[in-house]
Amino acid sequence: MTTRDRDYQTMMNALAEVARRSSSELENADQAYQTSAAQAAGELARAEGDAAAADRWAGAAASQMLDVDREAERLWDQLRRAPGVRVRALGELPEPAPVEALPRVALERSPDSGALVPAPRQSARTLLARAAERIDVTVRPAQRRSLPRWALPLLPLLGALVAGLTGLVAAGLVTMGDSLDAGAAVVRGLGWLGFLVAPSAGVPVAAVFAHRRLRARLDIGGIGLTLMGGMVAATVLSVTFAASR
């Protein structure tokens, strides 16, 4: 083999090596392109999903805001019609506080968009329901339900208990007045006055209990049962006290 043949073979081998390297680089570049395109498509799909979730969240928030505004306006009008409320002093429905005025500790990030939104410590519906309940107590107290049947037998016992306690206090005042020199008449007078109010002393207690605990109203029948128990207890206590003197 001549020198020319060897040089030709060397050049062919070098050309084949260059072709092999070029083919390998092209394959690597194509693979990188395919990988990058797949990653870009995945990022685009995730971005579109986040945008759709943000749109749904914004729509739900806007709908809830409209409902809350309507309910707040209704409650405000109802409060303006409440007895004892001066319309001029109450004024118009106040505007909600802007988000920029809220402290940053009262804000949290939305799980979908990452934006700052008010922290749901207590929902607006819960606060409005509580306000509506308080307004109903003022505006429509007569619409409260009657006492449940299981509470009726307790009214005479409650009246007797309160009347008994009042009678014991009255007896103590009368006894104390007998042992005093100065102001004895006043103390005895307060004691005898306690004997007079003892039969009906359980009525306000029963009314408060029915109003706050049972969310009901004490009707005329409940007042009668409470007075009956109080009168019996006060009579027994008065007779016993009179016999002991």
Side-chain angles (χ1 to χ4, degrees):
M1 180 181 294
T2 62
T3 302
R4 186 175 180 179
D5 294 335
R6 285 195 299 270
D7 293 341
Y8 178 77
Q9 186 176 3
T10 301
M11 287 188 296
M12 292 300 294
N13 292 334
L15 182 61
E17 181 65 22
V18 170
R20 185 184 63 79
R21 290 181 180 179
S22 177
S23 177
S24 178
E25 291 295 335
L26 288 175
E27 290 179 0
N28 293 335
D30 184 67
Q31 184 65 31
Y33 172 77
Q34 296 293 337
T35 303
S36 300
Q39 291 178 353
E43 292 294 335
L44 179 60
R46 282 193 294 271
E48 291 178 350
D50 293 340
D55 289 340
R56 289 193 299 270
W57 180 83
S63 177
Q64 183 178 7
M65 183 182 67
L66 292 177
D67 293 341
V68 169
D69 288 344
R70 284 194 294 265
E71 181 66 13
E73 185 176 0
R74 185 188 69 82
L75 292 178
W76 193 264
D77 292 339
Q78 186 177 355
L79 181 61
R80 288 163 63 93
R81 294 192 301 269
V85 177
R86 292 187 302 173
V87 177
R88 291 183 178 179
L90 189 61
E92 298 297 331
L93 179 67
E95 295 292 334
V99 178
E100 292 79 5
L102 296 176
R104 295 190 65 84
V105 294
L107 301 177
E108 67 175 9
R109 294 190 176 275
S110 172
D112 297 331
S113 61
L116 290 175
V117 295
R121 296 182 178 179
Q122 279 189 332
S123 65
R125 296 183 182 275
T126 302
L127 297 176
L128 289 177
R130 191 179 305 168
E133 182 180 357
R134 293 183 179 181
I135 293 174
D136 286 340
V137 173
T138 304
V139 178
R140 295 190 295 269
Q143 292 185 1
R144 285 183 170 270
R145 63 186 180 90
S146 301
L147 284 173
R149 294 185 180 274
W150 61 264
L152 296 179
L154 300 179
L155 294 178
L157 299 178
L158 180 62
L161 177 62
V162 177
L165 293 177
T166 306
L168 289 177
V169 174
L173 290 175
V174 173
T175 304
M176 184 185 301
D178 293 339
S179 60
L180 293 178
D181 294 332
V186 176
V187 176
R188 283 197 300 269
L190 291 176
W192 292 117
L193 181 62
F195 278 114
L196 291 177
V197 301
S200 60
V203 175
V205 178
V208 172
F209 176 78
H211 175 76
R212 294 187 177 180
R213 295 294 182 180
L214 302 180
R215 302 294 181 185
R217 57 184 175 86
L218 188 66
D219 53 9
I220 188 64
I223 295 175
L225 291 175
T226 307
L227 282 175
M228 182 181 65
M231 292 177 64
V232 171
T235 302
V236 172
L237 188 61
S238 300
V239 172
T240 304
F241 180 72
S244 65
R245 293 174 61 88

